[in-house]
Amino acid sequence: MEPGAGDGAPHYNENNGYRHPGAMSPASATDAAREADRIRPVLKRLWEQKKWDPATVRAALLHLGYEEERTGSNGKPHGGTLMVRSMNSRFTDGREVTPEGALVGLRVHTDACVTAFVQKSNYEVTTNGPYPETGCFEPPSGH
């Protein structure tokens, strides 16, 4: 069995490598923590005001001076570092459901992100390295 192999399935770590964020340098981790500290009070205020839709969250974070990420026609990043989108959908009671709330991804450096969410029940702000396939956002689990 692989070390840290979750439920002990063969090749667990290898098969789930896409779900492990990259490493951050110490300097990048410090910068990401500083940006997380700027974002946290904004999300706390929005949560207390019961405002967690992506448009409201995006507007509040753009007010901090971040620029929304843009991509070129080839799908490559073309400026901006902030992404705000709807929560991930999940299968509940036999159907796809997208919960109310917003997911936030801020690329601080090529090796550092702030990821956050705000929803009816709670909010959270964390830092992490980027994921191989999905950038700042944790990829959904596979089947």
Side-chain angles (χ1 to χ4, degrees), residues 90-97:
R90 56 181 172 247
F91 203 70
T92 305
D93 296 328
R95 62 189 180 98
E96 266 316 289
V97 175

Side-chain angles (χ1 to χ4, degrees), residues 2-142:
E2 296 176 77
D7 63 4
H11 307 288
Y12 177 88
N13 288 330
E14 179 182 326
N15 293 341
N16 288 281
Y18 71 102
R19 292 185 55 88
H20 298 287
M24 288 188 282
S25 72
S28 291
T30 298
D31 290 349
R34 183 174 50 250
E35 296 305 323
D37 289 345
R38 292 183 68 216
I39 291 171
R40 192 172 289 108
V42 173
L43 295 188
K44 180 179 193 277
R45 176 177 48 82
L46 292 172
W47 181 73
E48 289 170 345
Q49 295 173 349
K50 299 179 176 15
K51 295 179 180 178
W52 40 75
D53 61 283
T56 300
V57 172
R58 181 180 300 109
L61 295 175
L62 290 174
H63 190 70
L64 290 179
Y66 300 120
E67 269 188 62
E68 192 160 13
E69 184 177 81
R70 299 175 308 282
T71 54
S73 58
N74 60 1
K76 299 287 183 199
H78 190 65
T81 57
L82 176 70
M83 298 148 285
V84 180
R85 61 180 176 86
S86 300
M87 301 292 283
N88 292 328
S89 63
R90 56 181 172 247
F91 203 70
T92 305
D93 296 328
R95 62 189 180 98
E96 266 316 289
V97 175
T98 301
E100 287 183 57
L103 292 174
V104 176
L106 176 72
R107 187 172 291 276
V108 179
H109 295 295
T110 57
D111 67 337
C113 295
V114 174
T115 53
F117 66 83
V118 58
Q119 61 186 3
K120 184 177 182 176
S121 59
N122 63 334
Y123 69 96
E124 183 177 69
V125 180
T126 59
T127 62
N128 54 273
Y131 293 88
E133 297 175 8
T134 55
C136 291
F137 294 112
E138 181 177 3
S141 57

